[in-house]
Amino acid sequence: FTAMVAAVGSAGTAEAVYLNPNGTGQVLVYPYYTVQSTNGNAWNTYLSVVNTTSQAKAVKVRFLEGKTSSEVLDFNLFLSPNDVWVGAIGPDTSAADSAARLFGNFETSCTYPAIPAAGEPFKNIAYTTGIDALPGTGLDRTREGYVEIFDMATLTGAFATNITHTAIGSAPPNCAAMRVDLNTFGA
């Protein structure tokens, strides 16, 4: 028994997550967003994502509500080398039970699906039926939650060219080519 305890104790520890001391990595989690209000004043949450590399990137952006982590909005974001994307989450309307809405610099960033310049309201589709259908399935449930951003791929060739800005503040040259069903490329 003592030998077994000694062997297990000396095995070391395994870490599920590695924290890069430079603050960069493959996953970014914003642990809380809110657009609730106090005394009629709505709160907004601001996000920024920086591609610190000299390579074009594809990242997945997912917004999840706070009760059951149901997805309320997701999209692929394509970043040029050394690119910055900023977004803001605010209320969709002034009504206290309205959805949250994502606003951002969508004129100068490629997304799939395309997000209009006016932003995109969050949806309650994922939690209105099935196991996530708890009491309170209204759009007001989208008003607080968290954000996950995953590095999916480094883009090369035509994919990188399609989304790489040619001048500061310019739109990428061919976002339309990136807005295709990736399943069409086959396995």
Side-chain angles (χ1 to χ4, degrees):
F1 176 75
T2 304
M4 179 65 137
V5 170
V8 171
S10 66
T13 60
E15 296 181 28
V17 175
Y18 168 75
L19 181 59
N20 184 329
N22 295 328
T24 61
Q26 296 175 318
V27 176
L28 175 62
V29 176
Y30 285 94
Y32 184 67
Y33 76 80
T34 185
V35 299
Q36 301 294 12
S37 61
T38 302
N39 300 324
N41 298 312
W43 297 341
N44 296 316
T45 300
Y46 299 92
L47 312 168
S48 63
V49 179
V50 180
N51 178 4
T52 60
T53 73
S54 60
Q55 300 172 311
K57 293 285 187 173
V59 299
K60 169 64 82 178
V61 181
R62 293 180 54 195
F63 296 86
L64 302 115
E65 56 80 40
K67 283 190 177 181
T68 61
S69 297
S70 294
E71 190 174 281
V72 293
L73 182 68
D74 82 297
F75 58 92
N76 295 338
L77 172 64
F78 302 100
L79 296 169
S80 291
N82 303 302
D83 197 4
V84 177
W85 175 80
V86 294
I89 308 166
D92 190 32
T93 69
S94 60
D97 60 350
S98 75
R101 175 182 282 268
L102 176 66
F103 303 92
N105 60 333
F106 301 113
E107 306 82 31
T108 59
S109 296
C110 286
T111 62
Y112 177 73
I115 297 179
E120 185 71 28
F122 289 5
K123 318 273 189 295
N124 62 354
I125 296 166
Y127 63 82
T128 55
T129 60
I131 61 171
D132 290 338
L134 297 175
T137 57
L139 288 169
D140 59 324
R141 196 163 135 184
T142 68
R143 295 173 68 90
E144 59 185 345
Y146 62 99
V147 186
E148 299 174 332
I149 302 171
F150 303 96
D151 181 353
M152 294 192 308
T154 298
L155 303 176
T156 59
F159 291 114
T161 302
N162 289 340
I163 60 116
T164 299
H165 302 283
T166 56
I168 294 174
S170 68
N174 197 357
C175 282
M178 303 305 290
R179 295 179 178 139
V180 297
D181 182 356
L182 297 178
N183 291 321
T184 61
F185 292 104

